[in-house]
Amino acid sequence: MKSIDRLSLEQRVGQMFMCGFHGQHADEQINKLIRDYHVGGVIYFRRNVESVGQLTRLSADLQAIAADAGELPLMISVDQEGGMVARIDKEGVTQVPGNMALGAAGKPDYTLECAQILGRELKSIGIDMNLAPVVDVNNNVLNPVIGVRSYGENAESVAVHGAAAIKGYQSQGIAATAKHFPGHGDTAVDSHLGMVTVPHDRDRLEQIELLPFRRAIEAGVDAIMTAHVIFPTIEPEPIPATLSRKVLTGLLREEMGFDGIIITDCLEMHAISKPYGVAEAAIRAVEAGADLVLVSHTLQDQISAVEAVVEAVQSGRIAEATVNRALERIIAWKAARCGQWGNYLVSLEADDAVGAVPDRTDVGELFFTSQEKDESPRSLASIESTLNEIASNSITVVHDEGLLPLNPEQDVYVIWPEVVQRTEVDEPWSHTDSLGVALSQRRGRVREYKITTQPTYDEADRILKDVSEGDQIIVCTYTSAGHLPKGQQHLVEKLSEKYSLIVVALRNPYDLLEIPKPGCYVCTYENTPAVVRTLSLVLTGELQSTGSLPVSLC
């Protein structure tokens, strides 16, 4: 490809990197990465988002920087999975249900519709790749990192929902990214924190872990993200999939026939950075067959990784043809997905093309054009109606001994955990909608006691003293990873000794496995506003929930 030949080695290698930065404006870090290190991709985190308007301007500014520097247009991405994983939780971007809620609703058409809604909105603010859907099959009750990010434990169901999401995103000009290959569902360690192994034989992997990825490839998925997980059946050496040529090239490329973009999960995660270092890992990932290397946070790690790959090509450790093949895939994707920016990419074939970039003032208008985008936007009322419908079809009443609907003649006591979650990059955030507030809007006799997700035993004991015999008691639990926190377990255990409880699992349905069996157990899979509103209707009997558990509680 003539356009590749016209790019320097440094430009070609830079196009293979996707990097994050820390500002809500184009700061020194991202300017340096684009202008000096030619990075071709940017990833947004919550730290980059003040509002949808600000993010739209930021996307245009970043594209303008690339244009001014004579670089190819950027690939801008985000982790907007839905439910509890939403980097953009501001007005203007719909908070669509997460995967396990969609799995509980059991209607792939809902999954398709949510991806179309979200895809349209992401495209409108200058994002053209969503690092979703998760197609890991969550069949490990102690999985600390996937959980409700999965559609469930049934591989066929996960595959169907995953293909629907891929179709929905890509119909709006957004690249979908199936992750985490070859499968992160049956793990009990978070790869952000350490190395993990999936030891199953090949027959089992084909039936469970690999099935959704095969279906994703059949659905034409644009990208697949790797897992920092060891699969000894595929790679005999103790090497995580991200760095294994047997996994990325042998299995994914050659055997499974995937010819889209292979992107690594972030190399700063401890499963990679601690044993290998980010720079060495970047070299090994490219050697293994990755096209796009993700380094999300630290400028020095980002620079070291880019420079290491350049040096590896110069020394002959990485063949120049390997870089060129990766760049061909990236350029082909950018030409297909970036609307009128594709005209610039095609023009690179001309002798005088380099530097013939659009004027800075035109960048935003050009970038936000998509040939595939459906031009029939839905009204906000229609979208809200859909979200409420999905919520009523996903909320699952697992067990009830006649405690529902709530008795309007009795007081209701709601114990609500205030969620303040910190992600792997220490970004605090919270959901403020509470069940007590939602119920009080429907009936007056509601008392709410807010706790942290890690309540002390003393805190639990104070609640015990405040509850009376005549109360209907609703305890909401919240587990973000692994086990239900001990303080929440203690609270439920002590209340269960005296009262018949309604327990609502606001995220992890597996909470039931760590508490005495309550009189009523309800799973919501997330505590987003639409779900909390709908939950209040289910508890009062104004709405019947029809969700089915997408995982086993045994």
Side-chain angles (χ1 to χ4, degrees), residues 291-310:
D291 303 300
L292 199 56
V293 177
L294 181 60
V295 188
S296 301
H297 312 302
T298 309
L299 179 60
Q300 189 53 55
D301 283 337
Q302 293 162 339
I303 291 173
S304 298
V306 175
E307 290 179 339
V309 174
V310 170

Side-chain angles (χ1 to χ4, degrees), residues 123 337-341 364-371 373:
K123 194 68 177 179
R337 292 290 186 203
C338 290
Q340 292 184 39
W341 271 108
E365 181 180 353
L366 289 175
F367 181 63
F368 301 137
T369 303
S370 171
Q371 296 172 350
K373 187 175 175 183

Side-chain angles (χ1 to χ4, degrees), residues 137 153-162 207-208 211-212 215:
V137 181
E153 69 180 16
N154 181 278
E156 181 64 33
S157 175
V158 170
V160 171
H161 282 280
Q207 292 172 15
I208 307 296
L211 176 63
R215 296 288 181 81

Side-chain angles (χ1 to χ4, degrees), residues 163-180:
I166 289 163
K167 180 180 178 182
Y169 289 128
Q170 294 185 180
S171 71
Q172 304 302 307
I174 291 287
T177 308
K179 62 186 186 183
H180 306 80

